[in-house]
Each structure stands twice: as C-alpha cells, then as structure tokens.
Amino acid sequence: MELSSLLNRFSEPETLKMAKLGRELRAKGIDVIDLSLGEPDFDTPQHIKDAAIKAINDNWSHYTPVPGFLDLREAVCTKLKRDNNLTYTPEQIVVSTGAKQSLANAILALVDEGDEVVIPTPYWVTYSELVKIARGKVVEIRTSVSNKFKATPEEVAAAITPKTKVFMFSSPCNPSGAVYSKEELAALVNVFEKHPQVIILSDEIYEYINFVGKHESIAQFDSIKDRVVVINGLSKGFAMTGWRLGYTASSTPIAKAFEKLQGQFTSGTCSITQKAAVAALTGNLQPSLDMTAEFTRRRVKTLELVNAIPGFTCFAPEGAFYVFPDVSYYYGKSNGSETISNAADFSMYLLNNAHVSSVMGDAFGEPKCVRFSFANSMENIEKAWGRIAEALKKLS
Ligand code: PLP
C-alpha cells in the first residue's frame, strides 16, 4: 500500500510522542511524572458543565452552522470587546474544533506553494508542520533567552521578503512564556505597515495565563487590524482541552474563506460544546482567575527549583505554564553508559533515569532548550524537580 506523499512532508507532534512514551512506562508500573503535556490539570468550571448538561437535555443534538451558532459568535464578540476592547461582528468569527483547527484553516486559506511564513523561534510545534502541509516555506527568526525570546522589529523587517505571506506568533508564547507588551507590538506594527501583503496570525490561546499584567492583542492597532487573524479558544483558559473549541476573529473575506474550508473538513464543532462555550465566554471568570493564581504559585516554585540546577539558563516565563531552560551545558556529558548529545537525548535521559517526561526544544525550533510544564500539582512539581536534580548530578 502506498500512502500519500503529503504524510512525508510533516512530523507527528513531539509533545504527543513524549506523552505516549510516558504512558507506556506508566503501564509497566513506573511512576512517571508528566511535565510534557500542555493542558491545565484542573476540572472544567461547574457553570460551564451545567450549560452542557442543559444543552443535552434541551436536545441541541443536530448539525450546527459551519462557523458556529449565532449566539456563540455573538458571545465571542462580547468577550473580545470585554477583554480586549476589540470590535468584531458575528460574521467575522469562525468557531472551530480547537485553536489547532483555526490555525490549520488559516494556513490552508492563506499559504500557497512557495509562500514564506515568518515565525519567531521557539514556536508551538504545529506551526511549522502546517506550513509544510501547505507547501509553504518556514522562515525562522531565532530568538533566545538573552532577548527574552522576543523578535525585534529589526529582525522582523529583515525576515520579510516580497514572498512573505504570513507572520505568525503566540503571545503568551508556548513554549518560551514570552509576552509582548503593547509597546513591543506597536514597534512590530510599524514594520507590518510597510508590508501590506503580510497577514498576521496572532495566537492568543494563553491570554488568561499571564503573570505580568494585561494581555495585549496586536489586533488593537487599526492600521493593520484588517490583516490580523486573532486565534483563541477555550482549552487553556477554561480547562476545556477535551471539549474542542477554538475560534478566529478576522476580516469578513478571510472569515468566509475559513468557513469554506471548514465546511469540507469538519463542519461546525460539537453542538453541546458550543452551548457550553456561551456560558464560558459570557459567565463568571473567577474560576479562570483562580487557575491563573495557582499557576502563579507553581511558577514561583518551579523557578526556584529550576534555578537551583547547575548549568541551566532559564527565562522567567511571563505567561503560559512552561519553563524552557537552555540545557546545552549538559551536552557532551555522560553517566558512564549514556551520553547526552542534544535535547532529545536530554529528554530521554530524564524520562529513563528520573521518570519525568519533558519535550525537546528541537520540536519548537530551539535545539538548546527543553520544555517542562508546570501544569501539574505542587507535590508532583517538587517531586519531579528533585528527581531531575538527582539524575543530572550523575552526569559529568
Ligand atoms: N496554540 C498554542 C500556542 C498551543 O499551545 C495550543 C495547544 O497546546 C494550541 C494552539 C491548540 O489549542 P486547542 O486545544 O484549542 O486546539
């Protein structure tokens, strides 16, 4: 049997691979602590679950409009006004089965063969792979701990060519935790104003998990708003990863293109999830704020433990729930039987010797770093970092 060549153009997400390896060890009875996965370890807030149960009992069991129920798209507009002071109308909103699908809609609708897509590193694993699926060309801007993992206007200007179609980034960033301030975004906007062919994909899925202050969206700048696609969803801020709901806010022609694509791939997302999403987006935000307060405490503890490890250089994340230390100090070191040559070896060494799963930075375009989540209990965080410290002491 010959499968399509498309499958050879992209890889499976490293994050999911590591989680799978961890599960396999766990099935053998080994106590593996999972710091690889990117999802809140909290339950979905009660008022959202109640809305879903009501939707089932009210028989919301039919196909939905492809871009989502009108009341949900109105709720998204209300949220965007309330939280971000952004004005959109329901025809500019397309609800999908997750921010991942929204990103796929965007790349497939915007990128043709040979088009360049500029992405600052480190970036979420799926970005580059979607571009490869569309036969586009990924153009990386290398950022590092020393510039707080943010692309400067000069770097963005240098990366843009006449072939550039899209610039995509997340703020707060997965994996680095970088959060762009309003001033930093304004400086990037100055560059985009000079390149009217560039569409900006702004992934704001970690919006609520912000440790430095107010979330700023690049869509707030009127000079480029028509060229910005805001991508967001419920997975992270409302602990709803399994419910599968994301959305985009964009100009109407772009929204129509997303709707056309989605109409052939998935249709509208789950009707029950959509009804629950109205409750999430318009209801009490306190449970989300409480989750962020807990992530704030875990971030402090994680940084204390990470900074005590010799050789690590770690940026204090401004948002999201990961640390992304530079671990390259350990490259070339060995415990006698295993030698660490790169981030993949480092992650595997920790999985096998500390029974802690993590994700190698190569998956995010940064081979010197490894990503560790702090979306785990305080007890597990302390246990995991204790084991990591012990395992690393054996390397010389
Ligand atoms: N964007 C970023 C930066 C993410 O980290 C993730 C999930 O890990 C997603 C998008 C996808 O989220 P969803 O669950 O809504 O598909």
Side-chain angles (χ1 to χ4, degrees):
M1 183 182 57
E2 202 162 312
L3 298 171
S4 77
S5 61
L6 167 75
L7 290 161
N8 298 326
R9 286 213 297 277
F10 68 98
S11 8
E12 126 182 49
E14 273 316 314
T15 39
L16 303 187
K17 253 199 240 170
M18 275 310 280
K20 197 162 117 194
L21 285 177
R23 270 199 304 275
E24 281 166 13
L25 282 183
R26 221 171 284 125
K28 289 184 191 155
I30 297 170
D31 165 32
V32 175
I33 303 176
D34 192 347
L35 299 189
S36 73
L37 261 187
E39 63 173 334
D41 54 318
F42 302 110
D43 294 329
T44 302
Q46 192 59 45
H47 68 285
I48 303 175
K49 294 196 280 195
D50 289 342
I53 291 163
K54 182 168 184 316
I56 293 173
N57 289 328
D58 289 351
N59 296 307
W60 287 98
S61 50
H62 299 275
Y63 285 129
T64 80
V66 171
F69 287 128
L70 180 61
D71 62 341
L72 173 54
R73 285 179 288 131
E74 283 167 349
V76 171
C77 294
T78 304
K79 179 262 169 239
L80 289 167
K81 190 74 199 165
R82 178 193 66 197
D83 295 346
N84 315 105
N85 197 25
L86 295 174
T87 305
Y88 285 98
T89 55
E91 64 272 22
Q92 296 178 293
I93 309 300
V94 177
V95 174
S96 70
T97 61
K100 188 180 261 184
Q101 188 187 1
S102 295
L103 284 157
N105 285 345
I107 293 297
L108 292 179
L110 296 167
V111 177
D112 269 324
E113 183 163 2
D115 285 348
E116 294 177 1
V117 177
V118 176
I119 318 178
T121 66
Y123 50 76
W124 185 48
V125 286
T126 295
Y127 292 1
S128 54
E129 304 315 288
L130 287 175
V131 175
K132 291 178 201 166
I133 288 171
R135 294 186 189 272
K137 183 173 167 228
V138 176
V139 176
E140 293 182 348
I141 297 176
R142 299 299 301 271
T143 76
S144 66
V145 182
S146 59
N147 57 9
K148 297 185 161 189
F149 287 119
K150 289 179 205 174
T152 64
E154 294 75 24
E155 288 167 333
V156 174
I160 293 176
T161 75
K163 284 190 169 172
T164 307
K165 193 69 189 289
V166 167
F167 174 86
M168 70 194 296
F169 75 121
S170 61
S171 177
C173 174
N174 173 10
S176 72
V179 171
Y180 285 78
S181 68
K182 185 169 179 181
E183 293 67 34
E184 286 162 341
L185 292 174
L188 297 186
V189 170
N190 283 336
V191 177
F192 296 131
E193 282 171 354
K194 298 188 185 91
H195 301 280
Q197 89 280 14
V198 179
I199 309 284
I200 298 103
L201 303 189
S202 176
D203 181 345
E204 305 181 19
I205 187 107
Y206 290 95
E207 167 180 14
Y208 291 151
I209 306 161
N210 179 329
F211 310 114
V212 288
K214 192 173 157 295
H215 173 75
E216 300 287 352
S217 172
I218 197 163
Q220 71 187 281
F221 298 94
D222 287 338
S223 63
I224 61 156
K225 185 181 174 207
D226 257 14
R227 292 191 274 135
V228 174
V229 178
V230 175
I231 294 160
N232 208 328
L234 304 188
S235 287
K236 317 291 176 175
F238 297 94
M240 292 176 70
T241 47
W243 295 68
R244 306 313 298 136
L245 193 131
Y247 59 85
T248 47
S250 65
S251 70
T252 308
I254 291 180
K256 291 290 159 223
F258 295 171
E259 183 179 339
K260 183 174 180 187
L261 269 171
Q262 196 168 290
Q264 289 298 5
F265 279 151
T266 56
S267 300
T269 192
C270 168
S271 53
I272 308 304
T273 295
Q274 290 192 43
K275 290 294 169 193
V278 175
L281 292 169
T282 57
N284 183 7
L285 271 187
Q286 196 54 46
S288 298
L289 300 176
D290 292 345
M291 290 184 229
T292 299
E294 180 57 24
F295 284 131
T296 306
R297 284 189 282 277
R298 294 174 186 178
R299 169 186 179 270
V300 170
K301 176 52 80 185
T302 300
L303 280 172
E304 180 191 313
L305 298 169
V306 172
N307 287 332
I309 303 232
F312 274 20
T313 313
C314 189
F315 168 68
E318 298 167 333
F321 38 64
Y322 312 98
V323 283
F324 195 58
D326 180 327
V327 302
S328 56
Y329 165 84
Y330 289 94
Y331 297 177
K333 297 200 187 316
S334 167
N335 67 349
S337 57
E338 288 163 88
T339 302
I340 312 287
S341 302
N342 50 40
D345 292 347
F346 187 91
S347 274
M348 285 312 293
Y349 177 79
L350 291 188
L351 184 63
N352 292 325
N353 296 277
H355 300 148
V356 174
S357 59
S358 56
V359 186
M360 61 174 188
D362 310 59
F364 309 99
E366 182 38 82
K368 286 184 171 177
C369 297
V370 170
R371 190 189 79 174
F372 300 89
S373 165
F374 49 88
N376 210 322
S377 68
M378 201 67 107
E379 188 192 344
N380 276 341
I381 288 171
E382 292 190 9
K383 201 155 89 174
W385 283 101
R387 289 193 203 163
I388 292 171
E390 281 311 304
L392 292 179
K393 273 188 202 152
K394 299 192 180 113
L395 295 172
S396 57

